[in-house]
Amino acid sequence: MTTWDIIQAHLPEALLETLYMVVVATVVGIVLGGLLGVLLYVTESRLLHANRAVNAIVGFIVNAIRSLPFLILLVVLIPVVTFFVGDPYTPTGGAIALCVAAIPFFARISESAFAQVDPGIVEASVSTGATVPQILWGAVFPQARPSLVRGIVITIISLIGSSAMVGTIGAGGIGDMAIQYGYNRYETGVLAVIVVILIAIVQVIQWIGNRRAKALTH
């Protein structure tokens, strides 16, 4: 098969598998990671609901997962993924691994975004007698939105890179295609096309994210 034949036959499916893994991991990472970020922020803030023990425990777990290189995390998660989905060497297995990596990653990003909110705004909300949920929803989230959008962009781009590494264990996606048809068969044209596509995708996502963050900045 020529380089063009390989690209026509395998690139659409590889892109769909990568899209599936990244979208699933992004949604799970933002939802669960965002909740952890809120918990870390609230238990750290003396103005809200400081709890040193909870903050230390959650922070330790988040840091422990983040300290593992992604390839090592993949290997560690193989028995867990096998238990839940049977075959870890599938896009679903790769998506689970990406979710585990995305949750603590976005947790720290969201915590940092919340921490950048002017404490004076939070203090003013507390003085009015607002509850913690009211303060978070009415004061903290609106002020943190530009930073959160930038954090989401960083997370998506990081997941795209990690999804390519998932291919090294044969879990599908463009990384798998690059290994099987580009590296193993010495098809440099396939590798070049995949690299160009990755660069283009990242540039578009970054551009969209930057525009959205600027629109939310007051």
Side-chain angles (χ1 to χ4, degrees):
M1 295 178 69
T2 65
T3 297
W4 181 244
D5 291 334
I6 293 172
I7 292 171
Q8 282 186 311
H10 300 285
L11 184 59
E13 182 181 4
L15 286 173
L16 285 175
E17 290 174 345
T18 296
L19 178 65
Y20 164 71
M21 290 188 286
V22 172
V23 168
V24 170
T26 298
V27 172
V28 174
I30 290 173
V31 173
L32 298 185
L35 290 174
L36 283 179
V38 169
L39 180 61
L40 288 167
Y41 170 69
V42 170
T43 55
E44 174 70 21
S45 174
R46 61 177 179 81
L47 295 172
L48 298 176
H49 200 285
N51 189 316
R52 187 173 298 179
V54 172
N55 188 272
I57 293 171
V58 175
F60 175 81
I61 295 172
V62 167
N63 291 337
I65 298 175
R66 288 187 63 204
S67 67
L68 295 176
F70 185 67
L71 285 177
I72 294 178
L73 184 63
L74 277 176
V75 175
V76 170
L77 288 173
I78 285 177
V80 178
V81 176
T82 302
F83 176 79
F84 284 104
V85 300
D87 185 2
Y89 307 108
T90 62
T92 298
I96 293 174
L98 289 173
C99 288
V100 174
I103 291 169
F105 184 83
F106 190 72
R108 285 303 186 189
I109 286 180
S110 58
E111 179 198 12
S112 176
F114 300 142
Q116 292 174 17
V117 174
D118 185 358
I121 296 176
V122 178
E123 192 168 357
S125 300
V126 172
S127 66
T128 64
T131 63
V132 172
Q134 289 173 335
I135 294 170
L136 291 173
W137 189 254
V140 176
F141 286 145
Q143 294 296 318
R145 278 188 302 176
S147 296
L148 287 173
V149 169
R150 293 186 179 94
I152 290 171
V153 170
I154 293 171
T155 302
I156 294 173
I157 292 173
S158 175
L159 287 173
I160 291 173
S162 297
S163 71
M165 285 191 282
V166 168
T168 62
I169 65 168
I174 52 179
D176 191 18
M177 180 180 172
I179 295 295
Q180 286 194 42
Y181 299 98
Y183 179 77
N184 292 339
R185 299 189 184 186
Y186 304 102
E187 290 284 351
T188 55
V190 173
L191 287 174
V193 169
I194 290 174
V195 168
V196 170
I197 290 174
L198 286 173
I199 292 174
I201 291 172
V202 168
Q203 292 294 330
V204 170
I205 292 173
Q206 188 68 63
W207 179 77
I208 294 173
N210 286 344
R211 285 182 61 88
R212 184 56 183 163
K214 288 180 180 178
L216 291 171
T217 302
H218 301 297

